């Protein structure tokens, strides 16, 4: 097939996705419940994947583009006379999405990356780490669907109800490449009732969704993920127990000095010098580490908990910052310094994930509102996000090493290049052909 000039970025990334990850097959497995649709589902999801890859900010912005020649060719269409689809059709399909089939595409891509040895031996101490945290892409004052969660907020001294959706996300964190592993919604009272729960008195808590996610991480990825790292909200016995039962080690932030096992560790450390001091020249930090294995004072967890405290002195900063972590299971094989690094790794979920998704991927924008639609679209966006991460890491030299503080810069450039390429797309992209 003749190419005018060097292959453009969008064509290159789509080809990479097809060749390495079977993108046709992944999109082809996505299903919705429409009967005899005029626009086939594989075209709908192809459009939505491009919506994600190109970070088009809304359905309104997408709409005129669906009539453009470049866009149609990127979708593999040759006509160019009519719109590829209306945005209403996209929304209609999303509201009937079989969400599990959308999730499967993301899982398949991650598993293929694992088989291709993308993630190598793991981050610290040869362990693979998944960061877990709650994510709330949007909230509003009007209820839109039965899956909306609610809370009371005070605005100008008046109490009003706020509606929102919240998910627990698992991101593989690493020095090189970071991909979304899984997502679990926090279920509203209505959805719980619909699912047959008895005696429902309210929405479920973030802990409940997180525990479900931890169990599913194990079912989905087996023993390939070693350690779960999470925020202080998860520094409790029931969460640590679920993680242990699923075979995960944990590194979880501890904040409350009056709660076990931190209370006991602090008492034991009282007036004692650090066990170890590490000079981290690369980061310009001196780290004092206190390390206490085998604390058994957390009554809701059946087993020893190691507690690590890191006091980080940064050059040029007067006040040090202090971090405490509970460490269980195989994560106890990490050195205290590695525990701190893994513990700080959960920030990647905020920087690589949440902040970037809201700022640059506009995932906070509600394209269309509904329990299935929101989840299906997020899964497609995560597929686009993971594909870009994997492409950048494997195909662009030095991405992992040099992305420095702003992990999002390279991806933003890629998106600009893809957008530019869209106008130069001169032949229909060969979707669904070998
Ligand atoms: Zn809703």
């Amino acid at each position: 097939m003749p190419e005018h000039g060097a292959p453009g970025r969008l064509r290159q990334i789509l080809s990479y996705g097809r060749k390495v990850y079977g993108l046709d097959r992944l999109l082809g497995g996505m299903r919705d419940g429409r009967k005899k649709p005029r626009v086939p589902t594989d075209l709908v999801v192809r459009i939505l994947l491009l919506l994600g890859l190109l970070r088009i900010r809304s359905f309104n912005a997408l709409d005129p583009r669906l009539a453009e020649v470049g866009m149609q060719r990127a979708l593999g269409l040759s006509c160019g006379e009519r719109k590829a689809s209306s945005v209403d059709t996209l929304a209609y399909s999303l509201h009937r999405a079989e969400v599990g089939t959308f999730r499967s595409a993301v899982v398949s891509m991650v598993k293929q990356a694992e088989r291709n040895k993308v993630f190598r031996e793991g981050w610290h101490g040869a362990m693979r780490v998944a960061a877990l945290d709650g994510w709330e892409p949007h909230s509003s004052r009007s209820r839109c669907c039965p899956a909306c969660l609610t809370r009371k907020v005070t605005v100008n001294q008046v109490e009003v109800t706020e509606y929102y959706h919240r998910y627990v996300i698992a991101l593989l964190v690493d020095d090189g490449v970071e991909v979304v592993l899984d997502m679990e919604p926090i279920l509203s009272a209505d959805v719980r009732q619909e699912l047959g729960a008895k005696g429902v008195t309210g929405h479920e808590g973030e802990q409940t969704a997180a525990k479900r996610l931890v169990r599913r991480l194990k079912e989905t990825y087996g023993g390939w993920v070693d350690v779960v790292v999470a925020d202080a909200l998860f520094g409790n016995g029931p969460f640590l127990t679920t993680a242990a039962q699923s075979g995960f080690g944990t590194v979880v932030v501890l904040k409350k000095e009056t709660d076990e096992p931190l209370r006991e560790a602090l008492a034991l450390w009282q007036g004692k010098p650090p066990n170890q001091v590490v000079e981290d020249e690369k980061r310009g930090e001196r780290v004092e580490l206190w390390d206490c294995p085998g604390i058994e004072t957390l009554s809701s967890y059946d087993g020893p908990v190691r507690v690590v405290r890191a006091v980080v002195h940064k050059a040029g900063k007067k006040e040090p910052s202090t971090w405490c972590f509970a460490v269980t299971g195989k994560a106890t094989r990490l050195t205290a310094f590695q525990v701190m690094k893994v513990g700080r790794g959960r920030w990647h979920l905020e920087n690589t994930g949440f902040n970037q998704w809201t700022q640059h991927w506009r995932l906070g924008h509600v394209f269309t509102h509904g329990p299935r639609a929101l989840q299906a679209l997020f899964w497609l966006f995560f597929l686009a996000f993971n594909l870009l991460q994997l492409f950048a890491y494997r195909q662009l030299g030095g991405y992992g090493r040099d992305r420095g503080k702003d992990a999002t810069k390279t991806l933003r450039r890629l998106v600009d290049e893809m957008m530019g390429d869209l106008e130069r797309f001169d032949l229909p992209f060969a979707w669904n052909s070998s």
Side-chain angles (χ1 to χ4, degrees):
M1 218 177 254
E3 289 281 0
H4 292 257
R9 217 29 130 193
L10 180 58
R11 188 178 285 275
Q12 190 189 8
I13 287 169
L14 294 178
S15 300
Y16 174 78
R18 288 191 66 220
K19 197 169 129 229
V20 181
Y21 295 104
L23 198 53
D24 287 311
R25 189 176 39 79
L26 299 184
L27 295 175
M30 293 175 177
R31 299 270 175 270
D32 63 33
R34 291 177 301 153
K35 307 269 181 266
K36 294 187 189 165
R38 203 175 50 80
V39 182
T41 307
D42 62 347
L43 179 56
V44 168
V45 294
R46 221 178 276 162
I47 295 171
L48 296 172
L49 180 79
L50 285 180
L51 175 74
L53 273 178
L54 300 168
R55 300 183 186 174
I56 296 168
R57 65 180 187 280
S58 66
F59 275 165
N60 278 343
L62 174 68
D63 189 59
R65 290 196 165 269
L66 290 171
E68 286 172 8
V69 175
M71 176 64 92
Q72 301 216 346
R73 289 185 175 151
L75 293 167
L77 306 173
S78 53
C79 49
E81 283 163 23
R82 294 197 327 200
K83 261 189 211 168
S85 164
S86 72
V87 291
D88 289 346
T89 301
L90 304 180
Y92 189 84
S93 162
L94 279 169
H95 283 279
R96 284 149 190 83
E98 290 173 21
V99 175
T101 63
F102 286 64
R103 174 180 174 271
S104 289
V106 171
V107 169
S108 293
M109 184 178 274
V110 173
K111 285 184 171 175
Q112 185 62 52
E114 156 62 4
R115 284 196 294 275
N116 295 355
K117 305 205 178 344
V118 171
F119 309 118
R120 291 176 301 168
E121 81 281 9
W123 192 22
H124 292 294
M127 286 195 216
R128 293 212 180 85
V129 180
L132 222 81
D133 208 353
W135 178 53
E136 189 182 311
H138 44 77
S139 62
S140 82
R141 298 281 151 72
S142 51
R143 182 181 192 264
C144 289
C145 80
C148 277
L149 302 166
T150 50
R151 67 183 156 221
K152 300 279 181 215
V153 291
T154 307
V155 184
N156 299 331
Q157 291 159 343
V158 180
E159 199 180 62
V160 293
T161 303
E162 195 164 72
Y163 299 90
Y164 64 103
H165 284 242
R166 200 171 165 88
Y167 308 85
V168 183
I169 303 282
L171 182 86
L172 183 80
V173 292
D174 187 273
D175 266 345
V177 62
E178 304 190 309
V179 292
V180 176
L181 296 173
D182 212 342
M183 167 179 75
E184 184 65 34
I186 296 168
L187 303 180
S188 70
D190 284 6
V191 170
R192 293 175 65 201
Q193 236 148 11
E194 223 172 88
L195 292 173
K198 297 272 180 295
V200 174
T201 53
H203 311 311
E204 72 176 3
E206 189 155 322
Q207 297 284 331
T208 310
K211 284 191 270 183
R212 206 162 50 234
L213 182 66
V214 163
R215 286 191 286 266
R216 205 170 60 181
L217 269 182
K218 174 67 177 179
E219 282 163 27
T220 308
Y221 297 106
W224 167 71
V225 174
D226 301 291
V227 175
V228 167
V229 56
D231 202 353
L233 178 67
F234 303 100
N236 58 71
F239 181 81
L240 297 178
T241 302
T242 302
Q245 285 166 349
S246 302
F248 294 118
T250 61
V251 173
V252 180
V253 177
L254 297 174
K255 272 199 181 135
K256 264 184 112 178
E257 299 189 350
T258 50
D259 282 2
E260 296 296 349
L262 183 55
R263 199 171 82 114
E264 173 76 1
L266 290 173
L268 291 167
W269 290 331
Q270 183 84 46
K272 298 238 173 81
N275 300 85
Q276 194 191 0
V277 179
V278 178
E279 300 286 345
D280 187 346
E281 285 174 15
K282 213 171 133 200
R283 293 181 68 107
E285 291 175 352
R286 187 167 59 88
V287 185
E288 298 171 310
L289 294 155
W290 284 260
D291 194 348
C292 188
I295 294 184
E296 307 224 14
T297 53
L298 180 61
S299 56
S300 51
Y301 178 75
D302 185 18
V305 180
R306 175 181 167 200
V307 181
V308 169
R309 175 171 63 180
V311 177
V312 181
H313 303 265
K314 191 150 185 95
K317 257 194 174 176
K318 266 192 191 150
E319 292 295 319
S321 33
T322 300
W323 297 98
C324 296
F325 303 101
V327 189
T328 63
K330 51 179 136 168
T332 56
R333 297 206 298 261
L334 298 166
T335 65
F337 187 60
Q338 286 172 329
V339 165
M340 182 204 67
K341 286 188 139 181
V342 168
R344 281 171 145 192
R346 82 199 159 74
W347 293 343
H348 294 214
L349 181 51
E350 263 167 55
N351 297 332
T352 314
F354 304 158
N355 292 348
Q356 180 178 201
W357 296 342
T358 314
Q359 271 182 37
H360 304 302
W361 291 65
R362 311 191 200 268
L363 264 56
H365 172 78
V366 180
F367 286 81
T368 183
H369 194 133
R372 288 167 183 242
L374 285 166
Q375 284 190 63
L377 197 56
F378 286 145
W379 281 121
L380 266 164
F381 286 172
F382 292 153
L383 191 70
F385 173 81
N386 286 358
L387 176 63
L388 278 190
Q389 292 270 63
L390 291 165
F391 174 84
Y393 181 60
R394 295 288 265 196
Q395 303 290 308
L396 304 180
Y399 171 67
R401 282 192 312 282
D402 303 336
R403 54 186 192 151
K405 280 193 183 123
D406 190 355
T408 69
K409 215 164 137 189
T410 306
L411 295 193
R412 288 211 307 271
R413 205 191 65 223
L414 280 181
V415 172
D416 288 344
E417 288 172 356
M418 284 191 292
M419 210 41 144
D421 189 29
L422 199 58
E423 278 144 43
R424 291 184 278 117
F425 234 89
D426 49 7
L427 290 167
F429 187 74
W431 289 98
N432 282 318
S433 63
S434 51

